Amino acid sequence: MVVLSNAKPGREDECNRWYSDVHILDTINNLDGFACAQRFQLADLEGAPPSNYRYLAIYEIEDDRHERAYAQFDWQRQERAEALADGREPMVSVSRTLDPEYFLVGFFSAITDRIPSTRI
């Protein structure tokens, strides 16, 4: 699963702490099929093309668990809405520091094995 996102203006540090210290752990530890995750920040490269997104999170899903992981992802959205309506903490929270205008999620399946460089 790939997530592209931005923090709300002026809330970068708070958003990054929440995403890295809470959200990723909640996702990989509470939802079936999610094996691990890693976050990235847009590299500051002179002359690089602009991007609408500053942050990237990649969640690895076990090869045979895509349908289960997606079902869990879909379920947690409903569970979060119900938890918030009931005044309790959801299994996977979403911070108000995220900019909802710039948030994109996609599930992808590998079509090749990982191909390591022979130069490194």
Side-chain angles (χ1 to χ4, degrees):
M1 180 176 81
V2 173
V3 179
L4 296 165
S5 64
N6 287 340
K8 288 183 177 175
R11 300 189 76 181
E12 300 271 336
D13 290 342
E14 180 185 0
C15 186
N16 283 323
R17 275 192 306 277
W18 165 80
Y19 207 116
S20 297
D21 298 343
V22 176
H23 188 68
I24 281 182
L25 295 174
D26 284 352
T27 300
I28 64 174
N29 292 327
N30 294 334
L31 301 180
D32 291 340
F34 291 85
C36 63
Q38 185 174 7
R39 292 189 70 220
F40 300 85
Q41 177 176 298
L42 186 65
D44 185 17
L45 300 171
E46 189 174 324
S51 173
N52 290 331
Y53 301 97
R54 182 168 171 86
Y55 299 102
L56 163 70
I58 298 175
Y59 295 81
E60 289 189 32
I61 298 169
E62 299 164 344
D63 287 339
D64 59 345
R65 304 289 303 237
H66 283 93
E67 288 183 24
R68 179 69 180 152
Y70 180 74
Q72 287 279 281
F73 171 80
D74 198 35
W75 168 84
Q76 62 87 29
R77 295 168 105 184
Q78 182 175 343
E79 189 276 335
R80 183 173 44 252
E82 291 170 0
L84 295 175
D86 292 345
R88 61 180 170 80
E89 287 294 316
M91 296 236 352
V92 178
S93 64
V94 171
S95 175
R96 292 189 171 140
T97 60
L98 280 174
D99 185 344
E101 299 270 329
Y102 293 96
F103 194 81
L104 178 67
V105 176
F107 281 76
F108 296 83
S109 296
I111 58 173
T112 70
D113 290 333
R114 287 186 179 159
I115 303 169
S117 171
T118 59
R119 297 178 58 199
I120 297 177

